[in-house]
Structures are given as C-alpha cells and as structure tokens.
Amino acid sequence: MKKQIVIIGGSAAGPKVAAKSRRMDKDTEINLYTQSNYVSYSACGLPYYIGQDVKNINKLIVRTPEEFEKNNIHIHLHRHCQKIIPSEKMVIINEEKIKYDELVIATGARAKIPNIKNVNLKNVFTLRFLEDGLLIKDIAQRSKSVLIIGFGYIGLEMLEAFLKNDLKVYIVENGNYPMSFFDEEFGEKIYQYIQEKNGKNVEIISNDIVVELKGSSHFKSAVTLNGREISADFCLIATGVTPNIELARECGIEIGVTGAIKTNNKMQTNIKNIWAAGDCTEKKCQITGLPIYVALGSIANKEGRVCAINLNGENETFDGILCSSATKYFDYTMSLTGITQTRAEKIKHLTGFEPISVTVNKMDKASYMPDAKPITVKLTADKKSGKILGAQGIGLGDVDKRINIVTSALQKHMSIWELLHLDLTYTPSTSGAIDPLLTACYELKKIIENDKN
Amino acid sequence: MKKQIVIIGGSAAGPKVAAKSRRMDKDTEINLYTQSNYVSYSACGLPYYIGQDVKNINKLIVRTPEEFEKNNIHIHLHRHCQKIIPSEKMVIINEEKIKYDELVIATGARAKIPNIKNVNLKNVFTLRFLEDGLLIKDIAQRSKSVLIIGFGYIGLEMLEAFLKNDLKVYIVENGNYPMSFFDEEFGEKIYQYIQEKNGKNVEIISNDIVVELKGSSHFKSAVTLNGREISADFCLIATGVTPNIELARECGIEIGVTGAIKTNNKMQTNIKNIWAAGDCTEKKCQITGLPIYVALGSIANKEGRVCAINLNGENETFDGILCSSATKYFDYTMSLTGITQTRAEKIKHLTGFEPISVTVNKMDKASYMPDAKPITVKLTADKKSGKILGAQGIGLGDVDKRINIVTSALQKHMSIWELLHLDLTYTPSTSGAIDPLLTACYELKKIIENDKN
C-alpha cells in the first residue's frame, strides 16, 4: 500500500506540503482536508480584492482543487477534522476514520475575538478566509460607513480598502498609535500620514477599547470604555490572530509557551509521524533564540517546504525567523526586520542586549533627483557587541529595499562595523552616494564608540 | 606648527578626506587643490542635469568652497599639481612649493580616449567633470543629432538624456550588446527595451568601431571599421575611464597590475605619508581576492572615509568591493553585484570556482497586484561550495532591492543553502510570498544537488 500523507488545512502551508511532497515522491497518496470552500489562495491579497485593486477573486487562487488533482493530490473541501488518534495513526474527519502514515497539521490561525458584549451580532466580520473577503466586499459596496476594531496590518490595509469603497471609516485602537509592533514614532508617522491624506474620511479613536456592540440582530453601533458611541453600517474586528491548536492539544501534541504548536526545526511535533507547519506553529526568533508567535504567509510557505522535505525522507531545517514584514498604505510603506528598540528593551533581562538605535531621515535616492522621496530608517544594535538587532523603515520612498538588506545582514549576525562597509549599488536614480542605511550605521558606530571611550 | 594635510583632487574622495579629517581633528591645516572650477559635486548626476531632470547645476554640488572654508578647509581651484617630491615631503602646484605632513592623492580618473583619427576635433566631448556637463547640455539644446561612442553606464544614461533633449541618437558599440559587464542576455534585454521604447530615435550600430572622425575644425561625421559613415551635430566619447596615476608613478608610488595606484587596506601607498583614494586607486574584489579597477562614486566616498580615519591616527580598513552598481534607463532598471557568470568563467583558472547560474523571470510583487511589474533575476554560485558569487537584475519592477539583498549576503560569504532561508519582508504590494530571489535560489540548489547525486 502507498504511503498515506494526510494534511489538515488548505491555505498556505498545507498546499505547500502537498505540492512539494508530490514533486519529491510520485508514489505517495496525498489527501488534504479543509473546512473552507477554497484551497491554496493568498489570504494576504484579500484587502486588495475588497479595495478593488484586484477585480477577480480567482486571481488570488494559487492552485484550484482540479489543478491539484492533476498532480494526483486529492483536495477535500468542507471537511472538519474532529479528532487525531495517534495510537492508531488515524484522524476522524466528518465522522469518517482516515488512516495516515504521516500527518501534517496546518490548521492555521483564526481571528482573535476580543471580549466585547454582543460580539456575535450580524454584520460583524473578521478577515481570515476567502469567504470573509467575499462577504466584506459585498457589504462594503452597499454601505456608507464602517467601524474597524484594531489597528495592525489588517486594520491598516482594510482602512485603505474601505476608503477605496468611499466609506467613512472609524477605527478604535487601544494604544496611543497604530501598528504597535513598530516603535512608537513609526505609529505616530503613519497616524499623521493618514490624517493628512484621508483625514476627512477617517476618524481614529486612540487609547480606547470597544466594550459593547449594539443592535437588535444586526450591528448598529459600538460603545467604548471611555463612553463614546460609534454608529456604522458594519464592523470589522482586526485585533490579531490566535493559532488553531485545539485538535493538536487534545491528542497530546505539545503546545509552546506562546500558545502555538511546538515543533523542532524539522517541523516535527513531539508525536511521531505528526508534523505541523504554518500559522498554527510557534516560531523561534533568530536573534534572541526566544520562542515567538507571528502569522505570516511567507513563513508558512517556508515551513511547508521544510516540512515536506523532511517528511519525504530528505533533510532540511527551519532555523527561525526575523519577523520581517511590510505593508503599504496607499503610497506609504512601512517595513521592519528583527527586533525593535521597544521590544529589545522589553526582553533585555532575557537576552542581555543593551539596545541602542539611530534614526535617519533622508531621501531614498540622490536628493537632486526630481522623484526622490523621503524615508525614515531606524537601525537598532546591541551597544556591547555592536551586533545589529533590527531595522524599521517608513516613508513615501523605497524603504523596503533598506530593510531587506538588513534582513540579509541579520541572517549572518552582522555587526555595525561590518554593515557600514556594505558595497551597495549606487546610481542617483535609485540611491544616494551614501545610502540612508549606511548613514544610520555610521551614526550608530559613533555613539557606540564614543560611549566606550 | 600645525599638521599639514594636502589633498590633490576635488571630486568625491578628496573632499571626503577633507571633511572627515576636519571632524576628527580641529587643529590640522587642510588644503585641497583641484584643476577644476568646482569641488565636491556629484559627477554621477550630470546625465540628469543634461537630461533636464535636474534644472539647476548647483543642486549637484554637495559643498561649495565657501562651506569648506567655514570648516577651515582651504579649497584651491584651477591648480595643477606638477610634481610630488617625497624626500622633501613637498608638492609643486602651479610652480609653487607646498610642504605636507600627509599627502592624499585623489586625482580620480579621466575619460579613456580610443585610438580614433581626428579625435581632437571640436564638438567631440567626454563626460567627466561638471564643466563637461555644462558644455554638453548647451550643445544638446542647440542640436538635432548626436553620436555616442561606447555603450556602458555613461552611454546608456546619456542616451536617455539626449532623447529627453529630442535628439536623434546614434550609438556605436564594439560588442554584440550594450552593458558588456553584465551577462550578454542582459545586454540583449536592454537593447530590446531601447528598440521598443525609442526605436525611432535611436540607431545602435553594434559590432563596429569608429576609426576616424571627419570635419574641418568641428566634428561632422564618423567612419567605422565596417565602412559606415555616421553624420551628427556632435559626438560623445563614452568608452570608459582610465585612472590618473602619472603624478604618483613619477614619484615612485607603486602602480598595480590594473594600472591604478596600489594601496594597502588603510589606503596607504608604498611611500610613507602618501595616501590615495577614489577613482585613481586599484580595488580588491571581495569574492575572488583579485585586484580590479572600477570607478564608482560610492566606493570613492568609502575610501575617502577610511583614508581620513587612518591618516588622523585611528584605525579602519577598506577590505574590497563587490562591484555593485545600478542604472536606470527611463523606468527600466539594471543592477548587479559580485561577479557575473561570464566573468566567473573567465577567471576560473585563478579562482577555482565552477560558476553556475539560474535566471528567474517573475513579477516584483504578488502577480495579482495591478502594479506588479516583471523582473529578471540571475543568481550565480560556485557549484562546488554553493557559495554565492553574484547576482544581476533587470526589468521594469524593483530589481535593485533583490540585488542589494545579495550584496549583503556576499559580504558575509553566504551560500545558497543559507540564502534560501532569508526571512524577507512580504506583503502583496511589495513582493510575492516567494520572492524571485528565493525562487532563483531554490532552482540553483536543485541543480547543484542533482549534479552531486
């Protein structure tokens, strides 16, 4: 009998394991089960579908079930996995017993629902699945106003999407500023940019929490802790995600301190022949070695690849992440890699790092070029060792290039003394003779060395 | 008496040494001598001044002599250094004897003039100094046609500049394709793009050499080896540069195999108290360790910095370059770092590398995004060790980001097995879930590993 590979979950990691496994071995039986109506699609693209940049939802689909079937991968939609029975190497899916030789848990994450009274009213949405995208686009086109609760990546991208649908947008955010995984001044900058660009159509309610939703059956308004009542046609909750680990936990799979499934660097769980990959797993920070949890499509893809390689008898490791991420609000980019000054200070007692940062405001290309645009780059390093810890960027210009250069540097534990020698490409139309990143590095070097003398 | 620092040359490296030296030590006497009418300007910006992107030439000037004087740095324009007398620690400049404690040779490079009959006719230009830019802009605005001899970075950027002045442009190039320091298919791509975009106004004469210029006092036409006669209103020679080393050589300073001034990694020449930096010096390739010669503003800046630090008694090294460079032709970017497949094959006997490359054609962001644009990325590695050797990119999309990520990787001698784990930022508006660079890396890994089995 052929080796039976069973995969639970169909967004990014699951389909990746399936496709890669098939490429590695033509003779296995591969079955993938998902609760959704869709498989293998770009969930990250949904805001752009809702915002009408992407006209056809099919464009977000990487591979259809039919395309998988052509490669002899069987996709089962609308299936709910109730139980894993490791002792019998069996899963129960829609009451049916299914045997596996290798099981991959790729159950992903779900939207975190804050503790709000009446949160189950109709017209209250979260954005996670393709189906959510369809529903939200439909209501956005029929509405005049929306309330977003939460102001991270999804909140920001959906703000743009709703503005493109000519909605009045209210956003309630419990912090001082949006995008709280950046250092505060970056949140301040995006806040200011939103005000400048779309102030008329956006109202941001900071330092407040929604405690109750009102309406008889459908959402009508929200009441905040500070007593504000906000009326809108519908509501989007975007307060982060939580990994789907219940199925794993119930069968004895170890859950990490972050609340996500723990795996080794081959994506194996503690139970033999059970693997996990994607948004349901705990990650390791490459800089600190500490466990962390983030849900990112690029990581899910990489974990799926590593999982498939090991599951099919070859060798590959996934040795952690740098939490690199980026987003764009219209023409304004935010990007980060590694750890921020705020985060580094918070975990000082665990790492021993003495974080220090320098922020540089400069043009993204030679300042005399007519299309030069301002960017802000913040570089963070450990004062004792000079080791780079992370970088953040924001602005109308090309910040993402600079942040990814640091990503590559972080992977090899580069110090500021090494980074400042980087022989970056230079031409007036793409950068200055001294890149903003190198300027930041020179400044940081000066501070660290002066401090030592 | 104060320490006397004398600097010969005023474009990039010289002014950098002066400014950095002043910041390090308030009490030295710093005198900088240049033949030019201008000091401390962006020569790389001249094509954009001629092309009318930059309206005011003063925007290209980084610091004026007056600004230097405020920092007690004395700039002497129109001065010609005739001789260095190391035994007396003296230079002769415009017949005047000037003593130095530390001498910096930053004499830069000059345009290489090919062996062409009547090359000294009027209306035949090279582009190197700010004065050249002024003259060429003036004649471009009064003319209808131009002949460019040579098709590297300057040739390409000046083609754009001339087209923006509504000139008919003829270019004679001795190779099959322009931009011969890229692998040939990249030259082919830019060639095709020029034809598509500006075919009507550009005529490229490949595989040919200009042997004679015609005209009584002013340039009228050029005759090629293949017998073609090309008439135009003026002519630009853009066949590369040659380092200005005569002054150094005459006083016994060692010249390297590339024909440029040899320094150690502190920018010291073989003669005590004489330093050299910028386009007049030989560089070392960080990948091969071999001497090379390139003239790049970004490198000149870095060498000037290192030179100043050591000259003023502190410690810094300049450990080589990656030949990273980039250019843009309208909206089409070309960028490279490290060594190309062609170059790697050429120097195989010296390095022992077995170069292998993979080329990936992909969108620069998620393919469903309406502003996604195609890019081509070529990654080159050593088949035996898996060590990355270089990367080239071209296209309408953001290639420069990908190439600079590799620059950072090359600095730390990353292998393809390490590069493929890079945790690059991902959001549909800036990249795909699997970046084109990582796709190239996966492909390269496959080939190398299959080859080993």
Side-chain angles (χ1 to χ4, degrees):
Chain A
M1 196 183 158
K2 282 182 181 178
K3 178 158 100 174
Q4 301 286 322
I5 300 174
V6 170
I7 301 164
I8 314 290
S11 178
K16 183 79 193 181
V17 174
K20 179 83 185 166
S21 292
R22 177 54 74 233
R23 276 200 296 277
M24 292 182 70
D25 189 343
K26 296 272 166 280
D27 292 326
T28 55
E29 176 90 10
I30 304 176
N31 284 283
L32 184 152
Y33 301 86
T34 173
Q35 288 186 268
S36 171
N37 199 21
Y38 300 90
V39 75
S40 185
Y41 57 87
S42 169
C44 308
L46 290 171
Y48 305 97
Y49 169 69
I50 297 165
Q52 308 185 36
D53 299 299
V54 179
K55 304 291 176 203
N56 186 339
I57 190 86
N58 290 325
K59 287 208 167 182
L60 300 187
I61 294 170
V62 183
R63 276 193 208 85
T64 61
E66 293 71 32
E67 288 168 311
F68 278 105
E69 194 59 52
K70 274 187 201 151
N71 284 309
N72 201 20
I73 295 166
H74 315 303
I75 304 291
H76 309 269
L77 305 174
H78 307 295
R79 298 297 182 90
H80 177 61
C81 182
Q82 287 120 336
K83 205 173 179 178
I84 302 169
I85 309 169
S87 58
E88 300 177 42
K89 292 179 92 171
M90 182 190 284
V91 287
I92 299 179
I93 294 176
N94 284 30
E95 320 298 335
E96 192 189 338
K97 291 178 178 178
I98 292 157
K99 296 283 282 178
Y100 65 78
D101 295 306
E102 305 290 346
L103 175 67
V104 179
I105 302 177
T107 44
R110 61 180 177 272
K112 208 186 274 174
I113 305 294
N115 189 13
I116 297 173
K117 201 172 159 187
N118 297 326
V119 78
N120 293 322
L121 283 175
K122 284 182 186 159
N123 287 355
V124 176
F125 300 90
T126 59
L127 178 63
R128 188 75 200 149
F129 298 106
L130 200 140
E131 288 89 335
D132 300 329
L134 293 170
L135 291 170
I136 295 170
K137 182 167 189 169
D138 176 59
I139 195 166
Q141 288 179 326
R142 290 185 286 110
S143 300
K144 292 213 163 69
S145 62
V146 59
L147 166 67
I148 303 176
I149 302 175
F151 211 163
Y153 280 123
I154 295 288
L156 185 68
E157 290 169 7
M158 287 307 297
L159 168 59
E160 176 181 332
F162 289 142
L163 289 170
K164 284 177 173 167
N165 280 285
D166 293 322
L167 297 181
K168 163 87 185 186
V169 187
Y170 301 90
I171 311 186
V172 177
E173 159 63 23
N174 63 2
N176 278 324
Y177 294 107
M179 310 298 279
S180 58
F181 32 88
F182 282 80
D183 283 339
E184 191 169 279
E185 68 266 34
F186 287 78
E188 204 172 331
K189 273 180 188 289
I190 183 70
Y191 182 93
Q192 280 166 3
Y193 188 71
I194 293 166
Q195 298 293 356
E196 275 165 34
K197 193 175 165 77
N198 310 98
K200 254 186 10 201
N201 301 315
V202 183
E203 189 179 333
I204 301 172
I205 299 106
S206 304
N207 287 309
D208 207 352
I209 292 169
V210 171
V211 288
E212 183 181 356
L213 303 188
K214 288 190 166 179
S216 52
S217 62
H218 290 69
F219 169 82
K220 288 269 180 261
S221 68
V223 180
T224 74
L225 194 61
N226 294 343
R228 172 84 191 265
E229 184 163 351
I230 304 149
S231 298
D233 294 333
F234 68 102
C235 174
L236 174 74
I237 296 179
T239 50
V241 298
T242 192
N244 291 318
I245 53 119
E246 292 72 11
L247 198 59
R249 189 172 49 198
E250 277 161 25
C251 78
I253 289 172
E254 192 180 348
I255 306 300
V257 290
T258 63
I261 298 172
K262 198 167 173 174
T263 70
N264 63 12
N265 65 1
K266 292 171 179 282
M267 308 316 297
Q268 286 172 306
T269 70
N270 61 315
I271 296 185
K272 218 179 154 224
N273 305 114
I274 304 186
W275 311 73
D279 289 355
C280 60
T281 69
E282 181 168 281
K283 332 289 179 196
K284 190 181 82 178
C285 173
Q286 276 190 296
I287 302 164
T288 63
L290 297 171
I292 39 172
Y293 178 69
V294 289
L296 289 165
S298 48
I299 306 293
N301 254 296
K302 290 200 185 82
E303 289 187 351
R305 179 183 161 273
V306 170
C307 177
I309 292 173
N310 291 305
L311 184 155
N312 288 282
E314 291 191 21
N315 227 321
E316 181 64 288
T317 60
F318 188 76
D319 294 310
I321 65 167
L322 296 167
C323 292
S324 308
S325 60
T327 191
K328 241 179 162 172
Y329 177 74
F330 293 97
D331 47 359
Y332 202 69
T333 305
M334 298 184 78
S335 183
L336 75 80
T337 189
I339 46 184
T340 62
Q341 176 73 25
T342 312
R343 166 103 182 129
E345 276 166 15
K346 225 175 247 169
I347 57 173
K348 221 168 154 174
H349 60 292
L350 297 170
T351 61
F353 292 145
E354 287 181 27
I356 179 164
S357 295
V358 154
T359 302
V360 165
N361 295 297
K362 223 175 160 177
M363 290 293 169
D364 67 338
K365 49 199 76 160
S367 56
Y368 51 76
M369 293 300 281
D371 62 343
K373 296 197 184 81
I375 61 174
T376 299
V377 174
K378 183 171 184 176
L379 190 64
T380 302
D382 172 34
K383 210 193 273 186
K384 288 185 302 178
S385 63
K387 206 174 125 168
I388 298 158
L389 299 178
Q392 299 161 80
I394 194 167
L396 290 168
D398 185 0
V399 294
D400 198 47
K401 176 169 95 176
R402 278 74 190 193
I403 301 310
N404 280 292
I405 293 166
V406 177
T407 297
S408 186
L410 283 171
Q411 165 110 349
K412 291 287 266 182
H413 310 289
M414 220 184 254
S415 73
I416 52 156
W417 295 287
E418 294 172 308
L419 188 73
L420 62 80
H421 286 294
L422 275 190
D423 182 13
L424 302 175
T425 67
Y426 161 55
T427 188
S429 53
T430 66
S431 64
I434 302 168
D435 195 87
L437 182 62
L438 299 188
T439 307
C441 199
Y442 291 138
E443 294 296 319
L444 209 46
K445 174 180 182 285
K446 226 183 283 173
I447 296 172
I448 291 180
E449 290 179 354
N450 283 345
D451 213 71
K452 282 195 173 153
N453 298 336
Chain B
M1 197 181 156
K2 283 183 181 177
K3 180 159 98 173
Q4 302 286 321
I5 299 174
V6 170
I7 300 164
I8 314 290
S11 178
K16 184 79 195 179
V17 174
K20 178 85 186 162
S21 291
R22 177 53 74 232
R23 277 199 296 275
M24 293 183 70
D25 189 342
K26 296 272 166 278
D27 292 325
T28 55
E29 176 88 11
I30 305 177
N31 284 284
L32 183 151
Y33 300 86
T34 172
Q35 287 186 270
S36 171
N37 199 20
Y38 300 90
V39 75
S40 185
Y41 58 87
S42 169
C44 308
L46 290 171
Y48 306 98
Y49 169 69
I50 298 166
Q52 307 187 34
D53 300 298
V54 179
K55 304 291 178 201
N56 186 338
I57 191 87
N58 290 326
K59 289 208 166 180
L60 300 187
I61 293 170
V62 182
R63 275 193 209 85
T64 61
E66 294 70 32
E67 288 167 311
F68 278 104
E69 195 58 51
K70 274 186 202 153
N71 284 309
N72 202 19
I73 295 166
H74 315 303
I75 304 290
H76 309 270
L77 304 174
H78 306 295
R79 299 297 182 91
H80 175 62
C81 182
Q82 288 119 334
K83 204 173 182 180
I84 302 170
I85 309 169
S87 57
E88 300 177 41
K89 292 179 94 174
M90 182 191 284
V91 287
I92 298 178
I93 294 176
N94 283 30
E95 320 298 334
E96 192 188 338
K97 289 178 179 180
I98 293 158
K99 296 283 281 179
Y100 66 77
D101 294 307
E102 305 290 346
L103 175 67
V104 179
I105 302 177
T107 44
R110 62 179 177 273
K112 208 186 275 174
I113 305 294
N115 189 13
I116 296 174
K117 200 172 160 186
N118 297 326
V119 78
N120 293 321
L121 282 175
K122 284 182 186 159
N123 287 355
V124 176
F125 299 90
T126 59
L127 179 63
R128 188 75 200 150
F129 298 107
L130 201 140
E131 288 89 334
D132 300 328
L134 293 169
L135 290 172
I136 294 170
K137 182 167 188 170
D138 176 60
I139 195 166
Q141 288 180 326
R142 291 183 285 110
S143 301
K144 291 210 162 71
S145 62
V146 58
L147 165 67
I148 303 176
I149 302 174
F151 212 162
Y153 279 124
I154 296 288
L156 186 68
E157 289 169 8
M158 288 307 296
L159 168 59
E160 177 180 332
F162 289 142
L163 289 171
K164 285 176 172 167
N165 280 284
D166 293 322
L167 297 181
K168 163 86 186 187
V169 187
Y170 301 89
I171 311 185
V172 177
E173 160 62 25
N174 62 5
N176 278 325
Y177 294 106
M179 309 299 278
S180 58
F181 32 90
F182 283 79
D183 283 338
E184 190 168 282
E185 67 267 34
F186 286 78
E188 203 171 333
K189 274 180 187 292
I190 184 68
Y191 182 94
Q192 281 166 2
Y193 188 71
I194 293 166
Q195 298 293 356
E196 275 165 36
K197 193 175 166 74
N198 309 97
K200 253 186 12 199
N201 301 315
V202 183
E203 189 180 334
I204 301 172
I205 299 105
S206 305
N207 288 309
D208 207 352
I209 293 169
V210 171
V211 288
E212 182 180 356
L213 303 188
K214 287 188 167 179
S216 51
S217 62
H218 291 67
F219 169 83
K220 287 270 180 263
S221 68
V223 181
T224 73
L225 195 61
N226 294 342
R228 172 85 191 265
E229 184 162 352
I230 304 149
S231 298
D233 294 334
F234 67 104
C235 173
L236 174 73
I237 295 178
T239 50
V241 298
T242 192
N244 292 318
I245 52 121
E246 291 71 12
L247 199 59
R249 188 173 51 198
E250 277 161 26
C251 78
I253 289 172
E254 193 181 347
I255 306 301
V257 290
T258 63
I261 297 172
K262 198 167 176 174
T263 70
N264 62 14
N265 65 1
K266 291 170 179 282
M267 308 316 297
Q268 286 172 305
T269 69
N270 61 314
I271 296 185
K272 218 177 155 224
N273 306 113
I274 303 184
W275 312 73
D279 288 355
C280 60
T281 69
E282 180 167 281
K283 331 291 178 193
K284 190 180 82 177
C285 173
Q286 277 190 296
I287 302 165
T288 63
L290 296 171
I292 39 171
Y293 177 70
V294 290
L296 289 166
S298 49
I299 305 293
N301 254 297
K302 289 200 185 83
E303 288 187 351
R305 180 184 159 272
V306 170
C307 176
I309 292 173
N310 292 305
L311 183 154
N312 288 282
E314 291 191 21
N315 227 321
E316 181 64 287
T317 60
F318 187 77
D319 294 310
I321 65 168
L322 296 167
C323 293
S324 307
S325 60
T327 191
K328 240 178 164 174
Y329 177 73
F330 293 96
D331 46 0
Y332 202 70
T333 306
M334 297 184 80
S335 183
L336 75 81
T337 189
I339 45 183
T340 61
Q341 176 74 24
T342 312
R343 166 104 181 128
E345 276 167 14
K346 226 176 247 170
I347 57 173
K348 222 167 155 175
H349 60 292
L350 297 171
T351 61
F353 293 143
E354 287 181 29
I356 180 165
S357 296
V358 154
T359 301
V360 165
N361 296 296
K362 224 175 158 178
M363 290 293 169
D364 66 338
K365 49 198 77 158
S367 56
Y368 51 78
M369 294 299 282
D371 61 343
K373 296 198 184 82
I375 61 174
T376 299
V377 174
K378 183 171 183 176
L379 191 63
T380 302
D382 172 34
K383 210 192 273 185
K384 288 185 301 180
S385 64
K387 206 175 125 171
I388 299 158
L389 299 178
Q392 300 161 80
I394 194 166
L396 290 167
D398 185 1
V399 293
D400 198 47
K401 175 169 96 177
R402 279 74 190 193
I403 301 308
N404 280 292
I405 293 166
V406 177
T407 297
S408 187
L410 283 171
Q411 166 111 348
K412 292 286 268 184
H413 308 291
M414 220 185 254
S415 72
I416 52 156
W417 295 287
E418 294 173 308
L419 188 74
L420 62 81
H421 287 293
L422 275 191
D423 182 14
L424 302 175
T425 66
Y426 162 56
T427 187
S429 53
T430 65
S431 64
I434 302 168
D435 194 88
L437 183 62
L438 300 187
T439 306
C441 200
Y442 290 139
E443 294 294 320
L444 210 44
K445 174 180 181 287
K446 224 181 287 173
I447 295 172
I448 290 180
E449 290 179 354
N450 283 346
D451 213 74
K452 281 194 174 153
N453 297 336

